[in-house]
Amino acid sequence: MPEGQSQSFESIVIRASKGDHDAFQHLVGQFQDAIFRMVFFRIHSEMDAQDITQEVFMAAVKNINRLKSPDQFKNWLYRIAVNRVTDYMRKKKFAAIFSPFSVSETRTSSDDVPHSNENQWPETPLFKKEFWKNVRTLTASLSSMEKEVFVLRFFDQQELSEIAAILDKGESTVKTHLYRAIKKIKNNPEKAILLEKGCS
Amino acid sequence: MKPDLKCHLTSDEIIAAVVDRGDLPADARNHLAACDQCRKEVEKIEAAVTGLGETGRQVAPELSTPVNMPTDRQRIRLSRAWGLKPVLGFGFAVCLLVFVLWGGRLKDAVQQTNVASTGSGANSLFEEADRLVENAMPVHYQKIIETESFRAGDDMMDFIVPSIDESYDFMGGPGMLNEEEISHAETV
């Protein structure tokens, strides 16, 4: 980010932290799509991703006055989102104990539209459904931290230093998790083929 | 130093290069820079994982409803409501205290009622037992016997339940004539 833009961004964050509604609205406009996608990559449900995105910004507006470094706003926002997703997953798991069908009944974005017989890249619902199913298969054997680092690096396109800041870990720890994640996928022949095909 | 092009990177070094090339040892980094085979191997994995993310971003849905933030006025209202927290907390504490005190009294009253009802039940049981010891006949039959019409006289009772010192007997008891007495009476 150029120096001028950076200063401008930081001043917006400072204004937002002092209760400037317009400044915060500006930040919402800048990050809402990225946060929504980030949440969707983890839960694969459009409806729930919308709700969680809303919750993330509500939590942010409530606590922005506690943010010490304005330049860390993005990482801080991502950390809120990661925590919200973790909460969501925990609740879903808890609900699944009492309702064994609730997990399979979760609506994914590809279920929201009727299936067609076409299977051409990348717009058809069937392609999307298969893709996310394959991504789930690919990351199924990864630990929660390995999965988080993998998705942050390759889906959310975050730098290693940013991932370290988001997860509040050291950069070397992040590298270790990423290394293990890639190794697990590459050493599994079935998953290696999926990866080569791009999960399509 | 010229890199050794015959000694290719191991599988682990290739993955480490995908994570961060800067972390590779200097000789491995030099080899990677010079060796097409190893470089292609690293680029193949990089392309696969990067392509996976790209496809994910393409097939992910768009945010259909923009995030709706509360206006300043709504925030003020919320913060005012939040400011009432101590008052609400105090009110709740008072309610809880009243409930605990009254709840204790109520519990005692319920226990006393239970004891009383248990005592009265035991009394009625003992009364019933005494009645059965005195007269085991069911009350219904006792009522029938007590009625005037059913009261039989002593004769009737003697007929039904003869006394052992009765003077006559249908089957040759002390009050009956024997065969000799009968023949004597006929001749007389």
Side-chain angles (χ1 to χ4, degrees):
Chain A
M1 202 179 284
E3 189 66 24
Q5 274 187 20
S6 170
Q7 278 180 0
S8 162
F9 176 76
E10 282 178 23
S11 67
I12 290 168
V13 174
I14 290 165
R15 271 168 48 209
S17 66
K18 285 177 181 169
D20 186 334
H21 181 258
D22 291 339
F24 196 84
Q25 199 61 47
H26 182 86
L27 295 172
V28 170
Q30 195 168 339
F31 289 104
Q32 61 181 357
D33 290 326
I35 293 294
F36 169 74
R37 266 201 308 272
M38 180 260 182
V39 174
F40 179 82
F41 289 150
R42 286 150 183 81
I43 66 173
H44 305 150
S45 165
E46 188 177 349
M47 307 273 237
D48 293 339
Q50 292 259 12
D51 292 344
I52 293 172
T53 307
Q54 178 76 36
E55 283 175 23
V56 168
F57 283 100
M58 290 301 285
V61 75
K62 200 173 146 191
N63 297 301
I64 194 167
N65 53 349
R66 287 156 62 181
L67 179 66
K68 287 172 188 168
S69 317
D71 60 322
Q72 289 292 311
F73 177 79
K74 193 187 97 176
N75 296 336
W76 176 72
L77 198 62
Y78 268 79
R79 192 189 296 185
I80 295 173
V82 167
N83 290 339
R84 291 282 157 168
V85 169
T86 310
D87 285 347
Y88 169 86
M89 293 298 198
R90 201 180 297 139
K91 280 178 194 168
K92 204 171 135 186
K93 245 182 216 174
F94 186 72
I97 295 170
F98 297 103
S99 168
F101 301 107
S102 64
V103 174
S104 56
E105 281 171 0
T106 303
R107 280 158 62 89
T108 60
S109 68
S110 48
D111 292 334
D112 292 342
V113 275
H115 293 163
S116 71
N117 291 326
E118 302 164 42
N119 189 15
Q120 292 164 357
W121 189 85
E123 299 299 331
T124 65
L126 189 61
F127 176 88
K128 290 177 184 178
K129 193 180 179 183
E130 276 298 304
F131 175 80
W132 292 118
K133 190 183 151 195
N134 289 338
V135 168
R136 276 195 291 272
T137 309
L138 199 70
T139 56
S141 60
L142 307 185
S143 72
S144 57
M145 189 54 80
E146 287 163 2
K147 200 185 293 183
E148 190 57 60
V149 170
F150 184 84
V151 176
L152 276 168
R153 180 76 186 98
F154 299 115
F155 283 77
D156 298 314
Q157 292 182 296
Q158 299 298 307
E159 296 297 325
L160 292 168
S161 58
E162 290 173 325
I163 297 171
I166 291 166
L167 300 177
D168 198 19
K169 304 273 179 200
E171 207 171 313
S172 59
T173 310
V174 169
K175 283 179 189 173
T176 307
H177 285 300
L178 191 58
Y179 171 84
R180 282 185 195 156
I182 297 171
K183 192 174 181 180
K184 274 185 189 174
I185 293 169
K186 195 172 172 285
N187 287 354
N188 183 321
E190 193 189 331
K191 289 178 181 176
I193 292 169
L194 264 182
L195 184 65
E196 276 180 30
K197 287 182 177 175
C199 281
S200 54
Chain B
M1 193 175 76
K2 199 176 176 184
D4 182 6
L5 291 179
K6 285 180 186 170
C7 188
H8 294 294
L9 296 185
T10 62
S11 171
D12 287 352
E13 284 173 327
I14 297 232
I15 296 170
V18 173
V19 173
D20 189 358
R21 289 184 196 204
D23 279 355
L24 285 177
D27 53 344
R29 223 179 309 153
N30 291 337
H31 175 86
L32 191 62
C35 176
D36 282 346
Q37 190 184 328
C38 290
R39 202 171 54 249
K40 274 181 188 166
E41 188 66 27
V42 171
E43 283 169 358
K44 188 179 151 191
I45 299 172
E46 276 178 344
V49 287
T50 312
L52 191 69
E54 255 173 45
T55 312
R57 285 188 293 281
Q58 282 178 359
V59 300
E62 295 289 319
L63 181 68
S64 54
T65 313
V67 172
N68 181 27
M69 296 311 296
T71 59
D72 286 344
R73 208 171 283 175
Q74 286 170 323
R75 282 179 70 186
I76 288 164
R77 232 179 280 154
L78 273 173
S79 63
R80 275 183 189 161
W82 200 243
L84 290 173
K85 199 167 62 166
V87 178
L88 292 172
F90 179 73
F92 180 72
V94 168
C95 289
L96 195 68
L97 192 68
V98 168
F99 177 76
V100 167
L101 292 175
W102 275 96
R105 284 186 186 181
L106 197 67
K107 199 178 169 187
D108 289 346
V110 168
Q111 277 177 347
Q112 280 171 2
T113 312
N114 283 343
V115 168
S117 64
T118 311
S120 67
N123 284 341
S124 62
L125 184 69
F126 281 123
E127 280 170 11
E128 180 69 14
D130 289 343
R131 194 188 61 73
L132 286 171
V133 168
E134 260 181 38
N135 186 357
M137 186 177 280
V139 179
H140 178 68
Y141 292 108
Q142 283 183 22
K143 279 179 184 170
I144 293 170
I145 290 166
E146 279 169 6
T147 52
E148 197 64 33
S149 59
F150 191 76
R151 267 185 198 159
D154 291 340
D155 294 342
M156 184 63 177
M157 283 305 289
D158 287 342
F159 175 75
I160 295 168
V161 188
S163 314
I164 44 171
D165 59 345
E166 190 58 57
S167 56
Y168 73 91
D169 191 354
F170 291 104
M171 303 299 287
M176 279 301 275
L177 298 173
N178 56 28
E179 283 180 3
E180 281 180 17
E181 286 171 335
I182 292 168
S183 61
H184 176 73
E186 280 173 353
T187 53
V188 170

